[in-house]
Amino acid sequence: MTERKPLRFDLRRMFRFPLLSAGEGRDPAPPLESEVLFELAGENPENRLFGRFDATGIRERLAAAGLLAGMAGHGYPDPTLSLSCADPADQRICLFAGEPSRDRLLFEARLQLALFHPRHPIGPFTGESSFRMLVIHWLVLSDPGASFSVDRPRLPGQERPGLGLLDEALSLLSSFSRELGVDGVLDMPDHFHTALFYSRAFRYLDPEAEGRFQAIARDVAGVPLALASDAIREGCLVDRSTAAPMEWPVAEQVMAVRGPLRRFLRSPGYREARDRALAALRVVVNWDLYREKIASREAR
């Protein structure tokens, strides 16, 4: 009996494996032996991304997404690629301008393939609903040769100015998600500016969260982005109708690829719930509180 338990566990994982399960549209390519080993045993001796993509394959996809050309346009031709894929929960792709050191970092993505269950009922989905997702734990694009300035201020969490290649990075993740046969790409943005950038391709799974986000974006549209994002991070956002402070709403943003997830985000029911939440909320930044927060922060 004890010998069968690992087998049953592995079989359950195998039936969840997107490349071994039925999908919609064009069938994904059959899994490699290394991919099955990665999925079932969490082993990755060839250091392939998700057990599938080797360094050559990654470079091909970086080029197809436009990232390599974009970096060359910034003066960084032929960046150094580094893969660190031993941990299934932390699959890393890094590009460096020359030597692989943090001060020469151009691009870093820390990813995971995981099952996602909604934390509460959303539309047709319950906590029992299950989606195979490409999860973004960390995504950064940075220009090691650039400096912050008045015209290009530091955004919260930034170490260096960005490269302006987010669309290309999202194209790369979209290509991975299609090849891996997942339902979508998932992120939980911890800053307003991150959610705003991602909103080019992502929507909050909860339509009420999407409506609240759009209301915030609408009402701070006249404020410089770095200032608005920092004020929101400092807890200075206020519901105009109640004067109650608002915390930044941490929730799942998704780029839906296929299936029920994509249909829901495109449905009339989603749009109606989003629009109700958008119309119901007006926000303002409490600038007096923000000045107090800044003074306290600088005094530390």
Side-chain angles (χ1 to χ4, degrees):
M1 293 295 291
T2 56
E3 293 181 355
R4 292 182 180 178
K5 287 182 180 178
L7 177 60
R8 287 199 297 270
F9 174 73
D10 286 349
L11 285 175
R12 284 197 299 269
R13 293 190 67 191
M14 182 174 70
F15 289 127
R16 294 199 304 261
F17 191 16
L19 300 182
L20 297 179
S21 61
E24 296 184 357
R26 187 178 63 182
D27 291 333
L32 304 173
E33 182 178 340
S34 59
E35 201 169 358
V36 176
L37 181 65
F38 171 84
E39 181 69 19
L40 300 185
E43 298 178 6
N44 198 358
E46 298 179 28
N47 195 37
R48 291 172 176 260
L49 183 71
F50 305 123
R52 164 172 276 209
F53 306 105
D54 61 12
T56 299
I58 295 292
R59 279 200 173 275
E60 291 172 353
R61 288 158 181 81
L62 287 165
L67 275 167
L68 296 185
M71 290 176 185
H74 283 271
Y76 304 112
D78 194 26
T80 302
L81 172 65
S82 172
L83 297 178
S84 180
C85 302
D87 183 353
D90 188 12
Q91 300 284 287
R92 299 192 191 191
I93 311 170
C94 292
L95 290 171
F96 300 92
E99 290 295 317
S101 60
R102 297 304 295 182
D103 63 344
R104 303 301 295 165
L105 181 68
L106 294 166
F107 171 75
E108 182 178 23
R110 298 172 61 176
L111 309 169
Q112 180 183 7
L113 283 175
L115 287 179
F116 166 72
H117 305 278
R119 294 175 293 171
H120 57 85
I122 298 174
F125 309 129
T126 69
E128 300 299 315
S129 301
S130 179
F131 303 100
R132 184 74 174 192
M133 305 295 281
L134 175 61
V135 180
I136 305 172
H137 290 303
W138 178 256
L139 181 66
V140 64
L141 289 149
S142 59
D143 188 340
S147 300
F148 294 110
S149 65
V150 173
D151 295 329
R152 200 177 186 187
R154 185 192 304 268
L155 294 167
Q158 268 193 322
E159 295 181 6
R160 291 181 178 83
L163 287 165
L165 298 174
L166 180 61
D167 288 345
E168 289 81 356
L170 295 183
S171 177
L172 174 71
L173 298 183
S174 178
S175 70
F176 283 145
S177 66
R178 289 193 301 272
E179 291 188 69
L180 292 165
V182 298
D183 296 299
V185 185
L186 182 146
D187 180 60
M188 292 186 68
D190 53 358
H191 295 295
F192 167 69
H193 66 271
T194 308
L196 188 66
F197 293 155
Y198 276 39
S199 67
R200 303 170 189 174
F202 285 63
R203 297 291 179 268
Y204 280 94
L205 178 60
D206 186 335
E208 293 187 1
E210 177 69 16
R212 289 192 295 271
F213 161 71
Q214 290 192 12
I216 294 169
R218 175 199 64 209
D219 293 346
V220 302
V223 180
L225 181 58
L227 187 60
S229 192
D230 193 47
I232 291 169
R233 180 187 64 167
E234 290 288 350
C236 300
L237 200 64
V238 174
D239 185 325
R240 185 177 292 179
S241 63
T242 65
M246 290 181 57
E247 296 292 330
W248 171 244
V250 177
E252 298 88 358
Q253 263 187 326
V254 298
M255 178 167 58
V257 175
R258 64 174 191 170
L261 192 62
R262 184 172 182 176
R263 288 194 291 273
F264 172 60
L265 293 179
R266 295 184 169 193
S267 69
Y270 180 92
R271 292 194 296 270
E272 290 167 5
R274 175 203 64 197
D275 291 346
R276 283 195 300 270
L278 171 62
L281 180 63
R282 295 282 174 176
V283 302
V284 65
V285 176
N286 183 338
W287 293 113
D288 290 336
L289 177 60
Y290 181 64
R291 281 189 285 270
E292 292 175 9
K293 295 270 190 176
I294 294 303
S296 174
R297 193 165 72 188
E298 292 176 348
R300 288 198 292 268

